[in-house]
Amino acid sequence: MTVEIRGGTDNRPGAHDPRRLAWAYLSKVVQGPCPALSRLVDEVGPEEAARAVRERDLSELLGEKTVARAHVDTAAHDLDLVTGMSGRLITPDDDEWPQWRLLGFDTLSASREDGAPFALWVLGSRSLTELTERAISVVGTRAASGYGEHVTAELAGDLAVDGWTIVSGAAFGIDGAAHRAALGVGGLTVAVLACGVDRAYPAGHARLLRQIAQNGAVISEYPPGTTPAKYRFLARNRLVASLSDGVVVVEAGWRSGARNTASWARKLGRPVMAVPGPVTSVSSTGCNRMIREGEARLVANAVDVVDEAGPIGLRAGVDGDVERDLDAVRALDGLSGDALLVYEALPALGASGVRELSEASGIAVHKVRAVLPMLEMEGFVDSGDTGWSRQR
Amino acid sequence: MTVEIRGGTDNRPGAHDPRRLAWAYLSKVVQGPCPALSRLVDEVGPEEAARAVRERDLSELLGEKTVARAHVDTAAHDLDLVTGMSGRLITPDDDEWPQWRLLGFDTLSASREDGAPFALWVLGSRSLTELTERAISVVGTRAASGYGEHVTAELAGDLAVDGWTIVSGAAFGIDGAAHRAALGVGGLTVAVLACGVDRAYPAGHARLLRQIAQNGAVISEYPPGTTPAKYRFLARNRLVASLSDGVVVVEAGWRSGARNTASWARKLGRPVMAVPGPVTSVSSTGCNRMIREGEARLVANAVDVVDEAGPIGLRAGVDGDVERDLDAVRALDGLSGDALLVYEALPALGASGVRELSEASGIAVHKVRAVLPMLEMEGFVDSGDTGWSRQR
């Protein structure tokens, strides 16, 4: 008997929505991004796409891409497994599918194997939309120096205190330090894995990964049971880049994977930042070089990062502008987009709540929430017991 | 009795050319740059200008600028003094006046007090043209860290070995380390002072200044006896910038005078470079910030510096070009200006001497000398016992 459930995940083992079962089956078949399959699902829905894959009723391209595992259907088992870990499968069907985070992939060639994820397996109770609303990726070498670990702790900690989610890859070194810094200040953090979310990789970070799942999310586009592989790390890096407002490389050797993440951020139109370090330290070679070659902008602290990646249109203008006119930056002319609309929705006298501001400005509540602390930091608004008000 | 000498300095005490005496007198009167006086000398010659100053036969502007010391004439004494120190006064009359180094000032407002120098007092036997032919200014904070001293020694030492003259301000910290590095490898170095060349400032660098005079030059636009003053340090910085092909700031706090030198280099169209450092080090704050704000390009070593400031048109193209095509850079298409002409003047088979190449290419000997080692470093030419040849 098929139980028809719409609009949500049924968490009872074995009682999965057939549509979600189809997504899970297909995710296992392609194991990673597959723009061709995403397009087919878009057109005919996951169930019909799953039937077509099972029955080999496919274009030549999709036939090739799915032939190896079309006969493997562990969908119910996989969904049971993640449900048992308080996890879930998120697909483009879901409200929390981070659609706006993934728009960047549209600008890349649709034939790329490394397009938008097909689906996301997630451990953690928070909505992915909420988690990635204001997020910075902090990445770097596994062979971090004391300097790198220190700077990561300061920078990621300050960003997390300021309400930014820290996204990283859970590797040893800089990645781990970034997650820990966020956890240490009670902030949010997201780990993106190159293996199934049921696998702790690296094993030495098993406890860290459990903490991350409890305070944020552990994410993978690979189904449970998938083992890490080199090409999956590269694909993972593109997700790390896409799920944030910008990528900071704290320390990286010349051949560090962090440079791959930075390269993805560039392709996706996200700001790429790097922390400089001693020219005598091999752990900083990659960062210094990226800055030198104009591949990354130098950042020294969290304020620099927010200046670069923050939601308010306050970025420094043309490179080479010698002195920035701070007064001009502070002027309302400096505001743009959502920030300006939210500011203008504030009453001339008195205070407003977030929901009121959302209604008055037409900006979604979660974006209003993201913009207000920035406006406060920049000195445009004040927060008080009765809500938000214009700064006098 | 007046001894008429033309076209050179007479080194006998008391036997000075009246034209040079006039220059020395005027240099003492204005003590530093004075574009208005330089223009008058250009028009009427130094002797007539000196008469006009003595007799107060001047425009209102020049009247004001010269009134305080018009009655002081220590010219013969000053010339005797520097002659006694194996020094000399260099003026626009002299072949070794670094005219091409000072062209940048033409682009600045002619009314600036900080224009081209009026004259230069110099200790050291080498021609100033030769010394500044291929020169890099290496400057930085007096409060240098161990890291800063180390990087300065490596970078300035490597540049000096490669034939670059190291220009700096003889201050404690980075400046001193830069001069010492050049001396240490038997290279050339030039110290530009904010006081008379007869004064050792700082006193702790008296011995270093003597070594610099023996192996390069100690230069000042102020006459003997002038004491250092804050505004003279700022004016000195512009000379440090102008006498080189580019300025490297190795370590600088946010308010370091090195940033003033860098700002002069920018105004004069010279490349400004900075060595990054730990974001946790106050001694690197200025460098990191200059790089961040696009005021300086990051350099990590001598190769980066030559890439930026070298005579061959081999600079990296547009910022943001992700990977540089090294093959393209090596191709002859990468050559431009003097380098291309010198390369083309080389015989298809066999070798040529510098003078032959100068005649064949139409490029001055000293420029041919500057270009050849660069061509060799870039793999275009070889040097051998019989001269320079194209690399096979």
Side-chain angles (χ1 to χ4, degrees):
Chain A
M1 193 188 86
T2 306
V3 181
E4 183 101 5
I5 300 168
R6 293 200 183 277
T9 311
D10 186 332
N11 282 338
R12 286 168 296 169
H16 302 292
D17 170 14
R19 189 170 168 98
R20 196 161 300 268
L21 279 166
W23 277 111
Y25 161 71
L26 293 170
S27 163
K28 176 84 166 202
V29 168
V30 292
Q31 293 208 355
C34 182
L37 186 58
S38 290
R39 278 195 300 276
L40 180 65
V41 172
D42 247 13
E43 286 161 22
V44 304
E47 288 157 294
E48 168 56 17
R51 184 209 57 78
V53 169
R54 277 195 190 95
E55 298 174 10
R56 316 305 302 140
D57 178 15
L58 297 164
S59 68
E60 196 182 343
L61 172 73
L62 262 175
E64 269 176 35
K65 293 202 175 297
T66 59
V67 68
R69 281 182 298 256
H71 61 284
V72 181
D73 187 350
T74 58
H77 169 265
D78 291 345
L79 288 170
D80 286 350
L81 188 86
V82 293
T83 303
M85 298 175 81
S86 306
R88 63 202 182 280
L89 174 64
I90 300 176
T91 76
D93 284 354
D94 299 305
D95 287 345
E96 63 172 314
W97 181 253
Q99 187 59 44
W100 65 295
R101 281 289 173 210
L102 305 172
L103 289 177
F105 289 113
D106 297 350
T107 62
L108 302 178
S109 159
S111 66
R112 292 182 86 106
E113 281 307 290
D114 40 19
F118 181 73
L120 294 169
W121 299 82
V122 177
L123 302 185
S125 57
R126 287 171 195 273
S127 128
L128 202 52
T129 311
E130 185 198 325
L131 276 172
T132 60
E133 195 168 86
R134 290 175 71 216
I136 298 288
S137 299
V138 179
V139 299
T141 181
R142 279 166 296 174
S145 72
Y147 167 70
E149 302 253 8
H150 172 79
V151 173
T152 305
E154 291 287 314
L155 188 141
D158 287 351
L159 287 169
V161 162
D162 195 29
W164 294 84
T165 298
I166 303 301
V167 180
S168 196
F172 288 131
I174 301 297
D175 286 20
H179 292 301
R180 273 192 210 96
L183 294 170
V185 298
L188 300 175
T189 187
V190 169
V192 186
L193 303 188
C195 56
V197 292
D198 58 326
R199 301 286 167 117
Y201 187 89
H205 275 175
R207 193 161 62 94
L208 176 64
L209 285 164
R210 282 196 301 277
Q211 289 177 303
I212 295 170
Q214 278 158 24
N215 294 274
V218 174
I219 298 180
S220 174
E221 56 187 318
Y222 304 106
T226 310
T227 51
K230 175 153 184 153
Y231 71 92
R232 292 197 187 112
F233 283 103
L234 298 176
R236 183 274 306 271
N237 293 343
R238 96 193 189 291
L239 264 193
V240 169
S242 76
L243 290 174
S244 69
D245 293 286
V247 170
V248 181
V249 185
V250 179
E251 231 182 8
W254 186 233
R255 293 176 181 282
S256 169
R259 290 190 59 228
N260 174 252
T261 310
S263 148
W264 271 111
R266 228 174 355 261
K267 283 181 200 152
L268 294 167
R270 307 287 200 281
V272 181
M273 296 157 270
V275 175
V279 297
T280 47
S281 163
V282 288
S283 312
S284 285
T285 314
C287 286
N288 289 340
R289 193 82 191 190
M290 284 167 66
I291 295 166
R292 170 165 167 75
E293 301 296 339
E295 296 175 26
R297 179 118 189 240
L298 185 153
V299 290
N301 50 45
V303 172
D304 285 352
V305 173
V306 172
D307 186 38
E308 216 43 28
I312 300 187
L314 282 181
R315 295 206 196 130
V318 184
D319 268 8
D321 257 2
V322 177
E323 303 289 348
R324 278 203 285 152
D325 186 341
L326 286 174
D327 287 327
V329 166
R330 296 183 72 86
L332 280 183
D333 296 344
L335 293 181
S336 62
D338 296 354
L340 185 59
L341 293 173
V342 170
Y343 180 83
E344 288 182 340
L346 283 164
L349 289 170
S352 271
V354 169
R355 206 157 290 277
E356 276 169 271
L357 285 172
S358 169
E359 282 167 22
S361 65
I363 306 294
V365 167
H366 73 270
K367 289 198 177 177
V368 172
R369 276 208 195 91
V371 158
L372 283 167
M374 284 299 307
L375 285 168
E376 184 174 36
M377 226 176 81
E378 296 291 336
F380 293 111
V381 308
D382 285 322
S383 57
D385 294 339
T386 55
W388 295 86
S389 57
R390 294 191 183 193
Q391 196 172 85
R392 300 286 125 217
Chain B
M1 192 188 89
T2 307
V3 182
E4 183 101 7
I5 301 168
R6 294 201 183 277
T9 309
D10 186 332
N11 281 338
R12 287 168 298 168
H16 302 293
D17 171 14
R19 189 171 168 98
R20 198 161 299 268
L21 278 167
W23 277 111
Y25 161 72
L26 292 171
S27 163
K28 176 83 166 202
V29 169
V30 292
Q31 293 209 353
C34 181
L37 186 59
S38 289
R39 279 194 301 277
L40 180 65
V41 172
D42 247 13
E43 287 161 22
V44 303
E47 288 157 294
E48 167 56 17
R51 184 209 57 77
V53 168
R54 278 195 189 94
E55 298 175 9
R56 317 305 304 138
D57 178 15
L58 297 163
S59 68
E60 197 181 341
L61 173 72
L62 263 176
E64 270 177 34
K65 294 201 176 298
T66 58
V67 67
R69 283 181 296 258
H71 62 285
V72 182
D73 186 350
T74 58
H77 168 264
D78 292 345
L79 289 171
D80 286 349
L81 189 85
V82 293
T83 304
M85 298 176 80
S86 306
R88 63 202 182 279
L89 173 64
I90 300 176
T91 76
D93 286 351
D94 298 306
D95 286 345
E96 62 171 316
W97 180 252
Q99 187 58 43
W100 64 296
R101 281 289 174 210
L102 305 171
L103 289 177
F105 290 112
D106 297 349
T107 63
L108 303 177
S109 160
S111 66
R112 292 182 87 107
E113 281 308 291
D114 40 19
F118 181 74
L120 294 169
W121 299 82
V122 177
L123 302 186
S125 57
R126 286 172 195 272
S127 126
L128 202 52
T129 310
E130 184 199 325
L131 276 172
T132 60
E133 193 168 86
R134 292 176 68 216
I136 298 287
S137 298
V138 178
V139 298
T141 181
R142 279 165 297 173
S145 72
Y147 167 69
E149 302 253 9
H150 172 79
V151 173
T152 305
E154 291 287 315
L155 189 140
D158 287 351
L159 287 169
V161 162
D162 194 28
W164 295 83
T165 298
I166 304 300
V167 180
S168 196
F172 288 132
I174 301 298
D175 286 20
H179 292 301
R180 271 191 212 97
L183 294 171
V185 298
L188 299 175
T189 187
V190 168
V192 187
L193 303 188
C195 55
V197 293
D198 58 326
R199 302 284 167 121
Y201 186 92
H205 275 175
R207 193 160 62 95
L208 176 63
L209 285 165
R210 280 196 301 276
Q211 289 177 304
I212 295 170
Q214 278 157 24
N215 293 275
V218 174
I219 298 180
S220 174
E221 56 188 318
Y222 304 106
T226 310
T227 51
K230 177 154 182 150
Y231 71 92
R232 291 196 187 114
F233 283 105
L234 299 175
R236 181 275 306 270
N237 293 343
R238 94 190 190 296
L239 263 193
V240 168
S242 76
L243 290 175
S244 69
D245 293 287
V247 170
V248 181
V249 185
V250 179
E251 232 184 6
W254 186 233
R255 294 176 181 283
S256 168
R259 290 190 58 231
N260 173 253
T261 309
S263 147
W264 270 110
R266 231 176 351 265
K267 285 181 200 150
L268 293 168
R270 307 287 199 281
V272 180
M273 297 157 269
V275 175
V279 297
T280 47
S281 163
V282 288
S283 312
S284 284
T285 314
C287 286
N288 288 339
R289 193 81 190 192
M290 285 167 65
I291 295 166
R292 170 166 167 73
E293 302 296 338
E295 295 174 27
R297 179 118 189 241
L298 185 152
V299 289
N301 49 46
V303 172
D304 286 351
V305 173
V306 172
D307 187 38
E308 221 36 35
I312 299 187
L314 281 180
R315 296 206 193 131
V318 184
D319 268 8
D321 257 2
V322 178
E323 303 286 350
R324 279 202 284 152
D325 188 340
L326 287 173
D327 287 327
V329 165
R330 294 183 74 87
L332 279 184
D333 295 344
L335 292 181
S336 64
D338 296 354
L340 185 59
L341 294 174
V342 171
Y343 181 83
E344 289 181 340
L346 283 164
L349 290 169
S352 270
V354 168
R355 205 157 292 276
E356 274 170 272
L357 286 172
S358 169
E359 283 168 20
S361 64
I363 307 293
V365 167
H366 72 271
K367 291 198 176 177
V368 172
R369 277 210 196 92
V371 157
L372 283 167
M374 286 299 307
L375 285 167
E376 184 174 37
M377 225 174 84
E378 296 293 333
F380 293 112
V381 308
D382 285 323
S383 57
D385 294 341
T386 54
W388 297 85
S389 56
R390 295 191 182 195
Q391 196 170 83
R392 299 288 124 217

